[in-house]
Amino acid sequence: MSDIIQLLPDSVANQIAAGEVIQRPASVVKELVENAIDAGATHIKVNIKDAGRTLIQITDNGSGMSDTDARMSFERHATSKIRSANDIFAIRTMGFRGEALASIAAIADVEMRTKEHDRDLGTFIHISGSSIITQEPVSCDSGTNLQVKNLFFNVPARRKFLKSNPAELKHIINEIQRIALANPTISISLFHNQAPVYELPGANKRIRIVSLFGKNINQNLIPIDTETSLVKLSGFIGQPKHARKTFGEQFFFVNQRFMKHPFFHRAIMQCYEKILPPETIPSYFIYFDLDPADIDVNIHPTKTEIKFENESAIWQILQASVREALGKFNIVPSIDFDQAGSVDIPMPLREYGDVHVPEIKVNPAYNPFEQSSSPKYSYGNDAGFKSAPAQRNNLTNWQSLYKGVEPAPMEQEETSTEPVQFKMEEQQTVKTSVQFKNKYILTPVKSGLMVIDQKRAHERILYERLIQVMETNEVASQQQLFPETFELNASDATLLLSILPDLKALGFDVREYGNNTFIINGTPGVLNTLSPVEIIESLLEEYKLSPANVQGKARETVAISLAQASAIPYGHTLKPIEISELIDNLFACQTPNFSPKGKKILSIMPLEDFEKLLK
Ligand code: ADP
Ligand code: MG
């Protein structure tokens, strides 16, 4: 008998593979938006016609592709994201299997326009049922624009299987919700038959949740924030009274990827036992961040089922965090969304010390940056350590604040939520502070031992000074003896150009020299400890990671990024005098307990815990 085994033609193999990855229009949306995210896009537009049957169009401002890559991207197992099997264990991108584009091109009519940022011309490719119809140069925007038309035109069975338009659209909206929640800083819009469904600017998690689920959810969100060596948990759980009878507001994300996890869902349900109205499901938006080597995302082609190496330990951490958050929620004041701004909203430290429900008192006439006599901060060459004489005035505020039971009257008016709720022991405690692991400062306080994160503390100090400088226009630029020139890649150069006015307001004197080259003539005095070029470079990096500059917030984002880029790094040994200056300056801040990005700066280990430890 003659041999009968043959290799399937690519087009057939791709169609079969497509069955696994692409079940419906929503799967195409998911794969293409994830590709845009992997390509570093900060703006993604999704345009749908007839629930995706006629058209699914995704436009991104990501990296774009070269001519060859554009062609290669439609090959099966063609990916830029992994090179060897080992890479699968360190995956940080959404895709890596190299199947999506090949699958989509096998079952639809696909037109792609893509251009790298430093090119003048892009590439146009038209491919239908796996065959290339055209590839030619095209003039188009940087990034990628993919149009998928007539989905399943050659797989009638699949096409028949599709549900009604509203049902398919609902699937698409669900996918967009998941991706939008997983990537709050990316601006995403969805249009259906020309009408906007979502237009989401880059934001923080809380604001993203509110823009997807409505303003009412805001006061029902209880923050979760736990960091262990195994996993970092963040996000929110809903108050029991907000629980609904139907599913829809339950989300887990792991390393910025949506996942389904019935086991962890049960962990949460157990925490809510007896406090929920009957037959309701609590809302939750929980983000797990952990080493990619500790999870396996490759157990299912759509990658929504994920296996955890340390599942039971994480289960316990999850339950402990949810229980702790629930235990606290009745004394957590609701923070008005409009005050939230674009950074994570800091919640006051209230688990320790004399906790009392903060009174919300706002003096509408108060302007924190308006000083009657001496300015609150000097803006000198002290890199945030030295307190200038003018600052001393302010120091007495925090000392009395933490020493006495009654906060100083001025402080009461200044803050709409109470600041730190603990009492500092006498002034000399500052002198007994020590640095630990070149990362933390340990300071005895009345109720136990306070741990301060030195970098975050310095970020807070610098940030408040920078804001002060911007608000008062007291720009103090320090001229460079030897102006430095530096060159950036095209996209960083564009980014820098766009924030130059803000940098100027902060005291930078940077000018464009042509050809993506810049010259630094002067820097804000406060930053003179590091090389200015290094600061600009790390500022750009930080800036890219920050929530997209929501209108009017650009300066704040620059200030946050600058504070982060120039804060004393971990690993830096501090002299005793620097330690005490740092503490002084921290408590002279408006918000000493949270970094500009909303991370905890300090925490107290209560005395009882020490006693328990030594039992
Ligand atoms: P995977 O995402 O698993 O690598 P895909 O088939 O989804 O596989 O994409 C193949 C390759 O095409 C990607 O690895 C990437 O290099 C490139 N690519 C796809 N979409 C985009 C995009 N929007 N922008 C830039 N490159 C892209
Ligand atoms: Mg992909």
Side-chain angles (χ1 to χ4, degrees), residues 35 39 60 63 65 73 78-81 95-101 144:
N35 278 349
D60 71 53
S63 62
M65 281 175 262
S73 68
T79 178
S80 55
K81 298 166 196 173
F96 56 86
R97 296 166 63 118
E99 290 177 324
L101 289 187
T144 301

Side-chain angles (χ1 to χ4, degrees), residues 480-506:
Q480 296 290 110
L481 268 179
F482 305 102
E484 277 187 76
T485 55
F486 60 100
E487 199 185 332
L488 296 174
N489 65 36
S491 66
D492 282 359
T494 319
L495 176 59
L496 182 58
L497 277 177
S498 73
I499 59 174
L500 269 190
D502 296 318
L503 288 176
K504 186 152 185 268
L506 289 164

Side-chain angles (χ1 to χ4, degrees), residues 30-36 38 78-79 81 94-101 303:
K30 169 181 188 282
E31 293 296 333
L32 297 186
V33 176
E34 287 186 348
N35 278 349
D38 285 344
T79 178
K81 298 166 196 173
M94 293 294 111
F96 56 86
R97 296 166 63 118
E99 290 177 324
L101 289 187
K303 310 181 206 81

Side-chain angles (χ1 to χ4, degrees), residues 15 18-19 22-28 52-53 103-104 106-109 148-162 168:
Q15 247 192 49
I22 308 296
Q23 285 117 15
R24 48 172 25 107
S27 335
V28 176
R53 279 170 221 267
S103 300
I104 295 167
I107 49 165
D109 207 33
V148 178
K149 296 176 182 166
N150 299 323
L151 188 64
F152 300 128
F153 77 92
N154 51 357
V155 199
R158 280 265 162 188
R159 207 172 163 89
K160 250 188 267 158
F161 231 88
L162 293 179
E168 291 301 334

